[in-house]
Amino acid sequence: MSNSPAAAPAELTSYRDDKRHWWWLPLFVAISPVLGIYLTAVTDRPSWLWITPVLWYVVLPIADWLVGRDSRNPPDVAVPNLESDGYYKFLVYASIPLFYLTWLVGAWAVATQAYSWVGYLGVSLAVALTNGLALVVGHEIGHKTTRFEKRLAQIVLAVPAYGHFSAEHNRGHHKDVATPDDPASSRFGETLYGFVLREIPGALGRAWHDEKVRLHRQGKGAWSPSNELLQSFAITAVLYGTALALWGVVLIPFLLISTFWGWQFLSTSNYIEHYGLLRQKLPDGRFERCRAEHSWNADHAISNLMLYHLQRHSDHHARPTRCYQALRSDKAPELPSGYPLCFTLAYFPPLWRAVMDKRVLEVYGGDITRVNIQPSKRAEILAKYGAANISAVGA
């Protein structure tokens, strides 16, 4: 790319986002459980109720494999125009009412349509996965600086009942990422299930603490109406409470499955995004700045479209307010596939470790002492990898 003054206008006028008209795909995912419910009604085939889980766990991994990676980046000069283009922002905003519609239709369907337990489970998991996508949208909008967008983030995060996410993620995770202090950064040797039990309560506790500190600086108490966590949770209470009042206790399994499996979507994303990666300590005791090597990327084209470029995670940590359409591929370490397949690998810890542990060691030249290790397994891991690898590095 030329840096001459004449080159910039030419690049700007010639650049076209060839993915521009494919960014509507997440909206299809957001509404896919409703499509499954409709197709079941008109065909009398309840297998359609599983359309969203099949899409996520089967179709997307196959599509990633067939289409492959896309590491192309827009030229720097085109980024300002990309970020100011209202088309991309409209698509994200348009998904928010779809998440509410999907949740309400799903609740209505399991309460009134006399599905078998298999159909009930299919709808619940389908809505859980769209709840996970709602968290991705909340992540995208919650990083923006306008008050309007922060309010929208609170509204969309109310659907999966994760109203503390923006506060925790923006003030906590981005500060402590890839360090032992971060409950949202997974450790080498830590299973997904152990991570979930650490990450979910840790994230809530950190978010509450940070919000309490923020309000204290304003002379307000933690239970003030200005508490942004409570504002989002209040919307959740109205949504869930209204549904229970309308349709009764038959909804309780739906609420539990769609909410907690939706949380799993976020936790599993966090698990695979920083597994084993560690910012090293400087001589003054502080951690080094976050760099590309502290995030796992996945440049697989199809799943990146579905997740608003969340898989270009290193650039997101470098530039948190950058809009999804302008996120760039860089020299971060790469996952073996997009998030959908990596989710399935993570569900089976021996399989995950067989694929990922060697990749972590490659990032650090085989030096296990530079890895973010699960404390309870430190002696075991050092015994397994330490002596041979450390001596090899020394040689």
Side-chain angles (χ1 to χ4, degrees):
M1 181 186 300
S2 172
N3 293 320
S4 67
E11 285 182 319
L12 184 59
T13 56
S14 63
Y15 177 74
R16 295 292 183 272
D17 178 14
D18 58 7
K19 294 184 282 190
R20 179 181 179 87
H21 299 296
W22 290 100
W23 287 113
W24 57 266
L25 285 174
L27 277 69
F28 168 76
V29 178
I31 207 71
S32 59
V34 176
L35 176 62
I37 291 166
Y38 170 75
L39 290 174
T40 296
V42 298
T43 66
D44 199 28
R45 294 181 179 271
S47 56
W48 284 113
L49 300 175
W50 286 82
I51 186 173
T52 309
V54 170
L55 174 66
W56 177 257
Y57 291 110
V58 180
V59 174
L60 287 182
I62 293 173
D64 271 342
W65 176 69
L66 290 174
V67 177
R69 299 176 185 265
D70 176 20
S71 59
R72 294 171 297 171
N73 291 323
D76 289 340
V77 70
V79 169
N81 276 4
L82 268 178
E83 293 205 299
S84 63
D85 189 335
Y87 167 78
Y88 299 97
K89 190 175 292 187
F90 166 78
L91 292 177
V92 176
Y93 292 175
S95 71
I96 297 176
L98 297 184
F99 293 125
Y100 276 86
L101 174 65
T102 293
W103 193 95
L104 288 167
V105 171
W108 166 82
V110 299
T112 65
Q113 297 305 295
Y115 296 142
S116 69
W117 71 267
V118 176
Y120 190 114
L121 180 62
V123 175
S124 300
L125 289 176
V127 174
L129 291 169
T130 60
N131 278 351
L133 185 57
L135 283 159
V136 175
V137 169
H139 170 264
E140 169 68 22
I141 300 176
H143 270 295
K144 303 305 178 279
T145 56
T146 69
R147 192 66 181 167
F148 173 70
E149 286 171 304
K150 290 185 179 299
R151 291 297 186 197
L152 284 182
Q154 289 179 302
I155 292 169
V156 71
L157 292 172
V159 181
Y162 218 78
H164 58 286
F165 175 65
S166 289
E168 188 281 326
H169 181 82
N170 296 358
R171 304 173 203 158
H173 176 62
H174 273 262
K175 174 173 65 71
D176 297 330
V177 64
T179 73
D181 301 328
D182 183 27
S185 293
S186 61
R187 301 159 178 167
F188 189 93
E190 184 176 29
T191 69
L192 170 63
Y193 308 103
F195 174 73
V196 168
L197 293 176
R198 178 173 67 88
E199 189 257 351
I200 290 178
L204 179 58
R206 181 164 64 180
W208 183 262
H209 172 269
D210 290 349
E211 184 67 359
K212 184 177 179 180
V213 169
R214 184 186 74 85
L215 291 169
H216 178 73
R217 290 172 180 161
Q218 299 177 5
K220 300 175 182 177
W223 293 95
S224 162
S226 300
N227 186 312
E228 294 178 355
L229 279 64
L230 296 180
Q231 291 169 356
S232 186
F233 288 145
I235 302 172
T236 301
V238 172
L239 177 64
Y240 287 23
T242 301
L244 282 169
L246 288 173
W247 296 306
V249 296
V250 69
L251 277 187
I252 290 177
F254 168 83
L255 293 178
L256 294 176
I257 295 168
S258 64
T259 300
F260 288 115
W261 198 253
W263 294 3
Q264 168 275 146
F265 189 103
L266 174 65
S267 291
T268 307
S269 297
N270 284 335
Y271 179 79
I272 66 180
E273 284 164 357
H274 305 285
Y275 177 75
L277 303 178
L278 179 66
R279 289 156 57 193
Q280 307 301 309
K281 277 198 172 182
L282 301 172
D284 63 4
R286 294 180 301 167
F287 288 102
E288 65 180 327
R289 292 186 63 182
C290 183
R291 301 195 304 271
E293 71 180 51
H294 299 124
S295 299
W296 291 101
N297 280 5
D299 259 335
H300 293 78
I302 301 302
S303 51
N304 251 329
L305 283 169
M306 293 293 189
L307 295 171
Y308 297 104
H309 267 162
L310 182 65
Q311 298 175 161
R312 291 186 169 184
H313 205 64
S314 58
D315 193 34
H316 165 69
H317 272 276
R319 303 165 184 84
T321 61
R322 174 168 281 182
C323 298
Y324 68 93
Q325 67 273 18
L327 287 172
R328 303 172 65 82
S329 176
D330 54 24
K331 296 181 179 180
E334 282 279 330
L335 291 166
S337 185
Y339 284 15
L341 180 57
C342 284
F343 272 36
T344 302
L345 294 177
Y347 296 154
F348 301 93
L351 188 57
W352 171 258
R353 293 198 62 187
V355 172
M356 288 301 300
D357 284 6
K358 60 186 178 183
R359 292 172 180 262
V360 175
L361 287 168
E362 287 171 2
V363 172
Y364 297 107
D367 186 353
I368 191 65
T369 65
R370 298 177 63 201
V371 173
N372 188 6
I373 299 175
Q374 173 70 355
S376 64
K377 296 184 177 179
R378 187 172 187 84
E380 173 191 341
I381 288 171
L382 289 178
K384 180 178 180 180
Y385 296 101
N389 283 292
I390 292 171
S391 63
V393 172

